[in-house]
Amino acid sequence: MRARIFLLFAIGLNAATAGQETVVDKVFAEWDSTVSPGCALSVIKDGKIIYKRGYGMADLDHDIPINSETVFHVASISKQFTAAAILLLAQEGKLSLDDDVRKYIPELPDFGALITIRQLIHHTSGLRDQWSLLGLAGWRYSLDLITDEDVLDVMSRQKELNFLPGEKHVYCNTGYTLLAQIVKRVSGQSFREFTTSRIFKPLDMKNTHFRDDHAEIVKHIAYGYVNGEGGNSYRLSVTNFDTVGATSLLTTVEDLAQWDENFYHPRVGGAALVQQQLERGKLNSGKELDYASGLVHGKYRGLRTIDHGGADAGYRADLLRFPEQHFSVACLCNKGEIRPGTLTQKVADIYLAEEFKEPLPAGTEPSVKAVAVPEQRLAQYAGLYWKKDDEEARRIVLKDGKLFVANSPDDRLELMALSDNRFHPGVSPVVYTFEQAAAGTQRLTIQPPGEEKPDVFDRVAEFQPTASQLAGYAGDYVSAEIEPVYRIVVENGGLVLKRLKSKPQKLDPTVQDYFETQTGDIHFQRDAAGKVTGFVLDTGRIKNFRFRKTAQS
C-alpha cells in the first residue's frame, strides 16, 4: 500500500513539474524558433537544476540552436566574480579593502581625495565611467577593439571626479576594470588565470572563464544579435573587448548553478566570503546601499532577492536568487531587445506561486486605470521644465491628444493620466505631477519610488538663439582629457556637433547657453566680456567634462 501511495505521489509531483515546465516554455515561446536568437534557462532549487532549456538559435549563420550548455557573454554579471577575487585576496591579507587604489594603480591621477578598493566595489568612488569616456574619445562601443590599456590610458588623463568618494552611488564600470588590474598585480597572475584557478575550477565550472582575447576561439558560444530593419531580420552585435573585470565573463546557465550554490554551501572562500559578498555598501553619510559586491539586494512580491543583470552589445543576462527559498533562475540571452530580468521574475512567479506574499505586479502598466483628460488641459502642461540646481531639463510635448516626455525628437515616452494632473510613464513606477508654483508658474514634480523627495522642475521659456548667437557658439573645442577635436558648426539654422567616428549630432537649445545632444548636455562657458570660451559636458555617468574653445575659432 505504501509503495502505491508513494507512486501516486511521485506521478502527481511529476505531473505538476511538467505543468510548470509547460508554462515556462510559454514565457519563452516568442524566441523558441529556428530563425530567431533567444535564451538559455536554468531553474535551480536546493542546489539542483530542476529545469533547463534553450530557446532559439546561438548562431543564425550556421543554424546552431541554444541549449543549456551554450556559452554566453554575460556582461555585468561578471562583477560579482571580480569582487569575489578581490575578497579572496583580502582574506589572505594581501590587500585591504580600505587601501588607497593608487597603491596598486599609480597611473590613476591623484584627485586630492582618497579612493579605496571598497569604494570601487560599491560604485561610490566618483570615478567617471570607462564606456562613456571612451565614447567621448572616439571609440565605438563593441566595434573598435577596447583593451585594459585603453581604459588605463584614458583614466590616467582625467582631471576631475564626478563627486567626492563616498558621497554618492553611481554605477561605474571603471571601478571593476581597476579591481581586475589590482588582482593581476597583487597575485602575479592574469585575471583570467586567477579566477579560473581560485573560483571556476574548484566549483567545477568547466565552461566558464574571463575572455581576455577577443580573437580566441570559444566552442559552443552564442553570438549576439539586435533587430534589423523590418520583418524578422537580425544584425550581428558582438563585443570587441580585451578588457576584463567589469565585463567579459563567458559562462553557461549550468555553470551558474554551481556558483549559485556556493552562497549556501561555500566551497570557495568559506562562509566569510559569502558574508562579505552580501555586505551592503555605505555612503559617507551612513546611508546603506542596496548594492553589495557585484550583487543587488532587493525584493520581489514580498520576498527577499539577490540579483544582478548584464547588458553588452546583443547580449542580455540575469541571475536572480531568492535566498530564503533556496531558489534561483539564470537566464542568458543573445538578442539585445530581450529583458531577461523580467523573464526570471516570470519564471519565479510559476515556481514560487504559493510562497509569494504579494500579488502579481500589473506588468509595466500602473495598477490605477487611466483617466481621460481634455486636450485643452493637457496643452497647459506642454513646455520646457528646468531644474536649476542640477542644470537639467525635461521637455513635455503634446501630440495627437497625448502627453509625452521628449528625450529627443525620435525618442518619446508617453505619459498616462492617473488624474487631471498626475501621470505615469508606464515603463517605470515614477509619478509626474503638474501643479502651480507659488509665483503662479507651472511646476513639474517627478517622484521616483522609494525616494523621500521628488525632483522639482519649473517651466521656463525655451531659449531661441539668433543667428548671431549661434555663430558665437560655433568653433573648435578641445579637452585635456581626450584627444579628438569637437567641432560645432551652424547648419540649417541650428548647431551641429561633429567629432571623430561619430555621426553629426544636433544641439537642441533649452535655456540660454544650455543645449541637449544625444551624447549629453552641453553648458557653454563665457568670460567676463561675454565671449564663449568653452563648454562643460555632462553625460549621466560623466560630470563636468570640460572643453576649451581654440584660439582660432
Side-chain angles (χ1 to χ4, degrees):
M1 179 61 74
R2 286 184 178 178
R4 176 179 171 79
I5 292 173
F6 180 79
L7 178 61
L8 290 173
F9 173 78
I11 291 172
L13 184 62
N14 289 337
T17 302
Q20 290 172 326
E21 294 171 357
T22 299
V23 179
V24 169
D25 290 345
K26 290 181 180 178
V27 171
F28 291 86
E30 179 180 348
W31 307 287
D32 193 8
S33 163
T34 59
V35 294
S36 168
C39 302
L41 170 74
S42 67
V43 182
I44 311 155
K45 174 64 177 170
D46 297 330
K48 305 293 184 183
I49 296 178
I50 60 174
Y51 189 51
K52 58 185 180 181
R53 248 210 76 178
Y55 307 88
M57 306 302 286
D59 182 344
L60 290 173
D61 282 341
H62 303 98
D63 294 326
I64 300 173
I66 293 171
N67 60 40
S68 60
E69 295 181 346
T70 299
V71 176
F72 286 80
H73 170 100
V74 297
S76 287
I77 286 181
S78 307
K79 291 182 171 66
Q80 55 196 280
F81 296 91
T82 303
I86 284 286
L87 295 174
L88 287 172
L89 290 174
Q91 281 186 350
E92 297 168 1
K94 294 182 178 178
L95 57 80
S96 167
L97 299 186
D98 296 313
D99 282 344
D100 185 344
V101 173
R102 296 187 71 247
K103 177 180 178 179
Y104 308 98
I105 314 289
E107 305 98 306
L108 196 67
D110 183 356
F111 295 105
L114 173 69
I115 299 174
T116 67
I117 292 175
R118 192 185 306 273
Q119 288 166 339
L120 297 185
I121 291 172
H122 295 142
H123 300 293
T124 58
S125 68
L127 292 171
R128 291 163 169 167
D129 188 80
Q130 63 189 47
W131 302 130
S132 297
L133 281 173
L134 290 166
L136 294 180
W139 269 265
R140 293 166 297 187
Y141 176 81
S142 85
L143 294 177
D144 294 324
L145 175 61
I146 295 173
T147 69
D148 285 331
E149 290 72 25
D150 295 326
V151 176
L152 290 171
D153 179 67
V154 75
M155 287 307 302
S156 71
R157 301 178 62 178
Q158 298 308 294
K159 306 297 183 183
E160 295 184 37
L161 297 171
N162 282 338
F163 50 84
L164 288 175
E167 290 296 311
K168 296 180 181 181
H169 167 80
V170 175
Y171 196 85
C172 178
N173 287 285
T174 310
Y176 275 78
T177 298
L178 297 182
L179 289 172
Q181 286 294 308
I182 292 172
V183 171
K184 176 182 177 180
R185 297 179 184 190
V186 170
S187 71
Q189 296 177 284
S190 73
F191 186 66
R192 173 174 177 166
E193 291 169 340
F194 182 88
T195 50
T196 296
S197 63
R198 298 295 303 276
I199 299 175
F200 305 138
K201 280 188 176 179
L203 293 178
D204 199 29
M205 298 173 70
K206 297 177 181 178
N207 295 306
T208 300
H209 70 273
F210 274 95
R211 187 180 196 172
D212 52 10
D213 178 1
H214 72 286
E216 175 191 5
I217 302 298
V218 179
K219 298 293 186 181
H220 310 300
I221 195 168
Y223 291 100
Y225 299 90
V226 293
N227 284 339
E229 295 182 4
N232 293 320
S233 63
Y234 303 99
R235 293 181 59 82
L236 196 65
S237 180
V238 296
T239 56
N240 200 10
F241 304 152
D242 282 356
T243 179
V244 292
T247 184
S248 296
L249 181 71
L250 300 185
T251 190
T252 70
V253 292
E254 291 191 14
D255 277 6
L256 286 176
Q258 301 284 71
W259 168 248
D260 182 75
E261 185 60 12
N262 199 65
F263 285 84
Y264 301 98
H265 300 99
R267 289 183 283 161
V268 169
L273 176 67
V274 174
Q275 182 180 353
Q276 282 189 295
Q277 282 184 285
L278 297 175
E279 184 178 326
R280 297 170 185 253
K282 287 185 179 179
L283 299 181
N284 296 339
S285 65
K287 180 181 178 181
E288 193 173 60
L289 304 173
D290 292 334
Y291 204 92
S293 295
L295 298 165
V296 181
H297 290 266
K299 279 193 172 183
Y300 178 67
R301 297 183 61 190
L303 299 183
R304 191 163 69 88
T305 62
I306 303 293
D307 185 33
H308 209 293
D312 269 337
Y315 296 101
R316 298 293 182 268
D318 192 59
L319 176 58
L320 173 64
R321 179 181 306 119
F322 292 83
E324 291 164 7
Q325 286 68 39
H326 202 155
F327 177 87
S328 299
V329 185
C331 181
L332 309 181
C333 306
N334 65 333
K335 183 173 184 288
E337 291 76 16
I338 295 177
R339 298 170 62 187
T342 299
L343 298 176
T344 55
Q345 289 177 347
K346 288 183 177 181
V347 173
D349 289 336
I350 296 165
Y351 285 91
L352 299 181
E354 301 300 320
E355 302 196 43
F356 283 119
K357 300 175 182 180
E358 296 176 0
L360 277 167
T364 57
E365 298 295 331
S367 56
V368 181
K369 291 185 178 181
V371 300
V373 179
E375 185 170 348
Q376 184 177 2
R377 187 170 184 85
L378 294 177
Q380 297 175 7
Y381 302 142
L384 180 71
Y385 293 80
W386 182 252
K387 187 180 181 184
K388 184 177 180 180
D389 292 344
D390 293 337
E391 299 182 349
E392 187 177 349
R394 287 291 185 276
R395 198 184 304 271
I396 307 297
V397 299
L398 177 66
K399 183 175 176 62
D400 299 328
K402 298 177 181 179
L403 278 187
F404 296 84
V405 181
N407 299 316
S408 73
D410 299 321
D411 181 12
R412 293 179 177 177
L413 182 63
E414 183 179 351
L415 293 174
M416 187 194 75
L418 304 176
S419 70
D420 62 353
N421 72 325
R422 296 175 65 249
F423 295 79
H424 192 290
V427 296
S428 62
V430 178
V431 176
Y432 288 65
T433 303
F434 297 91
E435 55 192 12
Q436 292 292 317
T441 58
Q442 190 75 49
R443 174 168 288 176
L444 168 63
T445 63
I446 302 176
Q447 180 67 63
E451 296 293 333
E452 295 181 6
K453 296 181 180 179
D455 293 322
V456 179
F457 295 76
D458 290 309
R459 188 159 67 185
V460 294
E462 183 172 336
F463 177 44
Q464 297 179 333
T466 64
S468 175
Q469 288 172 315
L470 291 174
Y473 296 122
D476 292 347
Y477 295 79
V478 295
S479 170
E481 298 173 280
I482 56 173
E483 294 179 356
V485 175
Y486 278 47
R487 184 165 291 108
I488 294 178
V489 300
V490 179
E491 288 185 0
N492 301 319
L495 294 180
V496 175
L497 169 64
K498 299 182 178 182
R499 60 191 183 93
L500 180 68
K501 296 184 181 180
S502 298
K503 294 180 180 180
Q505 295 181 19
K506 182 183 177 183
L507 275 67
D508 293 313
T510 53
V511 299
Q512 185 164 353
D513 289 341
Y514 289 85
F515 292 77
E516 295 176 326
T517 74
Q518 290 177 329
T519 298
D521 297 331
I522 285 177
H523 177 198
F524 286 98
Q525 308 289 297
R526 298 179 182 273
D527 60 18
K531 183 180 179 181
V532 173
T533 57
F535 66 79
V536 175
L537 176 66
D538 287 341
T539 72
R541 291 183 181 176
I542 292 181
K543 299 292 184 183
N544 301 316
F545 201 80
R546 301 181 185 280
F547 286 80
R548 172 181 57 83
K549 194 175 186 181
T550 60
Q552 64 268 28
S553 296

